[in-house]
Amino acid sequence: MSNQTAGGTSMLNEIEKYFLLNLRREFNHRTMHPNSTHMSLVIKMYTASGTASINWTTDESYTLNVLIENSNTVVTIIEANTVFGARHGCETLLQLFTTVNEENSTTSLHMLSQATIVDQPKYAHRGLLIDTARNYIPIKSLKKQLDAMAASKLNVFHWHMTDTQSFPMQLERVPEMIANGAYSIDEIYSPNEVRQLIRYAKYRGIRVIFELDAPAHAGNGWQWGPVKGLGNLAVCVNQKPWRNFCIEPPCGQLNPINPNLYTVLQDVYYDLAEMNKDEMIFHMGGDEVFFGCWNATEEIVHYLKSLGKSQSDMDFLFLWSEFQKNVLHLWDKARYLANSNTTGPSKISENTPESPVIVWSSRLTDPSVIQNFLSSKRYVVQTWVPATNAIPDELQKLGYRLIISTKDAWYLDHGFWGVTTYYNWKKVYDNQLPKGNSILGGEVCVWTEFIDAHSLDGRTWPRAAAAAERLWSNPTTKSMEAESRFFRHRERLISRGVQPEAIAPKWCQQNEGQCQ
């Protein structure tokens, strides 16, 4: 270790524990051959930077050297600029171990005796989105997903925490949200649990980015405004027939003309910023705003008329953009206050450049109108269009940075509802991201309308690992060349307590290349 801060030293200690834990997980249950040669393994880690926070500019590269020092000692040297690179080096080292079956049903543990690996990710943003609002996912289950992400070198957990169905996030300043939006008292995330999960993720090289989707996808949890004398914070909540008011039941959309909404959102944002102080990036949602809802709301129509506007799509885009301008200001203020309310020097000041926020691709981000409403300096767009759609290329030409979630390859809930199609691991693996320097990376998405904690592992893994390799190295080869590694990685996930779906008969694994 070198030049380490207290945070960096703490993380290196956790990396050591993580390495030993997962080595034992995979090989401790084996009956080792009594005549196996016992060798010592010495791991030396050198890092140049003491930073313990990760962002889109963090250097995650590493160099790994394995050599035999003498007849009974193997030395591994991991050199990295940051602790995050060192962590990835340890993850790769775990992949250099295997067992060999011996006689008498015993096995011996083997590792490469000599290797030099120079490695770094192709993309800075390598994410997995999990929706915890359609169905509640317990913290224990989320930690398993983080373990699998770490094994696959994914580095962003995109937490889609609320939606129209439920609001499970406990907020100290706005307790009404869970009182009106949680499925039950047992299906909430306390601030303490959230902070623990963030720390758990960090020690695995993963940042946690919150998403509070708005102004659409906001219903249950927001109904309490009239009782408190605040008016309608959301409109169209649970309205029927739902097809008249939203894309998917139950309906609900924030009321952008109610000034009390912004007072409540300020408190919501402040609580979220305080829970995740080290993370500067926030996802504001912004997908599937349904103009029919606002158009059916008398107070909103009256407001537009008072401004001399009609009820055209452009008028509703104007209304949406005004909402977006207001909430961006609220988020900046919340982030500043949360980081100022600490002991010691403030992490940000009034002069600190504002951090980017992420929004989904939508009618507001359409290339024909986006420059009228959203600055490319502040907004990163997460696109969820099919692979053949030209929108990512068009947005890049306008100067916008992008996160790619290819709808017809990386939506892992597809194939279980409607006319959607299931995408096997080969389809996930072979999905190419658009070319261009404005591509920050991508995310595979797990929407949970038809998934809960009992099916989450199998629906997500090992397919998310296929996207992980695409995002780490963006290989020029296709899934056929990766198959043997993929079979082995599935076993690795199982050893870490994950229950991934089967991807082929075992015969195919024993006879590589004959099932393609």
Side-chain angles (χ1 to χ4, degrees):
M1 303 179 191
S2 58
N3 301 324
Q4 279 307 315
T5 60
T9 300
S10 174
M11 185 151 176
L12 285 169
N13 290 334
E14 290 295 330
I15 291 170
E16 178 186 353
K17 294 177 188 175
Y18 173 88
F19 175 84
L20 294 173
L21 170 65
N22 286 301
L23 192 62
R24 293 189 188 104
R25 276 175 165 175
E26 190 155 7
F27 301 113
N28 251 12
H29 68 285
R30 310 279 188 171
T31 302
M32 302 310 292
H33 192 277
N35 297 324
S36 296
T37 302
H38 294 284
M39 297 190 71
S40 299
L41 173 64
V42 177
I43 301 174
K44 300 178 181 179
M45 286 192 289
Y46 299 95
T47 59
S49 167
T51 182
S53 60
I54 184 170
N55 55 48
W56 287 324
T57 62
T58 299
D59 186 343
E60 298 176 83
S61 65
Y62 66 91
T63 300
L64 170 65
N65 283 292
V66 179
L67 53 97
I68 296 179
E69 189 172 76
N70 53 52
S71 60
N72 59 3
T73 303
V74 176
V75 176
T76 298
I77 301 172
I78 298 173
E79 297 177 280
N81 284 327
T82 68
V83 292
F84 297 97
R87 196 219 73 83
H88 296 320
C90 278
E91 197 69 65
T92 297
L93 180 59
L94 285 167
Q95 297 175 12
L96 303 185
F97 289 87
T98 191
T99 52
V100 175
N101 293 325
E102 308 282 1
E103 70 272 11
N104 301 323
S105 300
T106 61
T107 57
S108 57
L109 180 63
H110 291 239
M111 72 169 289
L112 288 183
S113 59
Q114 187 171 356
T116 298
I117 298 172
V118 180
D119 197 15
Q120 65 180 28
K122 173 70 174 177
Y123 295 103
H125 189 109
R126 307 182 303 280
L128 170 65
L129 175 150
I130 300 179
D131 160 23
T132 61
R134 272 50 179 262
N135 277 308
Y136 176 82
I137 307 295
I139 291 288
K140 181 179 179 181
S141 296
L142 292 178
K143 284 183 175 179
K144 277 206 298 181
Q145 308 316 304
L146 293 171
D147 286 340
M149 289 175 68
S152 309
K153 297 193 179 84
L154 291 171
N155 69 348
V156 178
F157 169 38
H158 173 173
W159 192 346
H160 182 90
M161 53 179 54
T162 66
D163 215 287
T164 52
Q165 288 85 355
S166 78
F167 196 113
M169 189 64 58
Q170 183 179 11
L171 303 175
E172 294 176 355
R173 289 170 180 79
V174 199
E176 293 88 353
M177 303 308 295
I178 59 163
N180 291 271
Y183 285 131
S184 75
I185 194 64
D186 298 320
E187 294 168 292
I188 64 171
Y189 303 105
S190 72
N192 214 26
E193 288 176 319
V194 173
R195 291 188 183 99
Q196 288 177 7
L197 189 74
I198 290 168
R199 186 164 58 250
Y200 190 89
K202 182 177 181 179
Y203 290 149
R204 284 152 181 77
I206 300 165
R207 62 198 294 202
V208 178
I209 293 179
F210 292 163
E211 180 190 350
L212 185 79
D213 206 348
H217 291 276
N220 290 289
W222 293 94
Q223 315 97 311
W224 51 275
V227 175
K228 296 284 186 174
L230 301 180
N232 292 317
L233 301 175
V235 294
C236 310
V237 179
N238 300 327
Q239 285 275 14
K240 296 178 181 179
W242 64 265
R243 286 180 176 82
N244 294 345
F245 302 99
C246 62
I247 302 295
E248 165 191 288
C251 297
Q253 207 154 280
L254 294 181
N255 183 0
I257 70 161
N258 183 351
N260 294 319
L261 169 67
Y262 300 103
T263 304
V264 173
L265 274 172
Q266 183 69 87
D267 286 338
V268 170
Y269 286 161
Y270 186 89
D271 275 354
L272 294 177
E274 206 171 38
M275 273 190 261
N276 201 8
K277 287 183 181 180
D278 288 343
E279 181 53 63
M280 298 293 103
I281 304 300
F282 184 61
H283 201 304
M284 289 190 153
D287 63 321
E288 296 184 327
V289 173
F290 197 76
F291 293 165
C293 166
W294 284 343
N295 199 28
T297 304
E298 187 177 342
E299 60 185 293
I300 293 177
V301 172
H302 179 75
Y303 173 79
L304 287 173
K305 287 181 178 178
S306 73
L307 297 179
K309 296 185 178 296
S310 61
Q311 293 152 261
S312 69
D313 283 1
M314 284 305 297
D315 293 318
F316 286 116
L317 283 174
F318 161 79
L319 186 65
W320 183 358
S321 69
E322 288 297 298
F323 167 85
Q324 192 59 48
K325 187 186 304 179
N326 289 333
V327 296
L328 182 61
H329 173 73
L330 296 179
W331 171 250
D332 287 342
K333 183 178 179 182
R335 192 174 71 87
Y336 170 72
L337 291 173
N339 282 272
S340 297
N341 188 23
T342 60
T343 57
S346 172
K347 294 179 185 174
I348 63 174
S349 71
E350 294 282 11
N351 297 321
T352 303
E354 294 108 338
S355 61
V357 294
I358 307 171
V359 292
W360 290 104
S361 57
S362 66
R363 296 171 76 174
L364 196 67
T365 69
D366 188 278
S368 64
V369 301
I370 187 173
Q371 289 180 302
N372 297 326
F373 304 122
L374 305 177
S375 164
S376 60
K377 294 180 180 178
R378 290 304 311 272
Y379 286 93
V380 173
V381 181
Q382 183 168 0
T383 61
W384 57 292
V385 295
T388 56
N389 194 291
I391 280 180
D393 290 331
E394 293 173 14
L395 289 174
Q396 277 199 90
K397 290 175 183 176
L398 296 175
Y400 291 88
R401 289 174 290 173
L402 306 180
I403 296 164
I404 305 299
S405 293
T406 310
K407 190 176 182 179
D408 56 352
W410 284 7
Y411 266 40
L412 303 186
D413 62 312
H414 279 196
F416 298 92
W417 58 272
V419 295
T420 59
T421 301
Y422 177 87
Y423 314 118
N424 65 21
W425 78 267
K426 294 179 180 180
K427 172 79 170 177
V428 174
Y429 188 95
D430 292 334
N431 179 52
Q432 294 278 353
L433 276 67
K435 298 186 186 306
N437 294 330
S438 297
I439 305 297
L440 293 172
E443 291 181 1
V444 276
C445 301
V446 180
W447 301 104
T448 60
E449 286 93 338
F450 301 95
I451 298 172
D452 64 10
H454 301 287
S455 55
L456 179 62
D457 283 12
R459 293 284 179 88
T460 307
W461 304 100
R463 290 187 295 161
E469 181 159 316
R470 170 63 54 199
L471 289 165
W472 179 271
S473 58
N474 198 24
T476 55
T477 53
K478 292 196 171 184
S479 53
M480 187 178 297
E481 287 76 17
E483 185 178 73
S484 60
R485 293 198 310 279
F486 201 70
F487 284 142
R488 178 67 186 91
H489 191 63
R490 179 178 178 270
E491 292 179 351
R492 190 175 296 118
L493 294 175
I494 292 171
S495 76
R496 300 191 188 191
V498 181
Q499 299 296 313
E501 68 180 357
I503 53 177
K506 190 168 184 177
W507 187 90
C508 298
Q509 186 171 349
Q510 295 173 335
N511 298 270
E512 287 181 17
Q514 296 189 41
C515 294
Q516 294 172 347

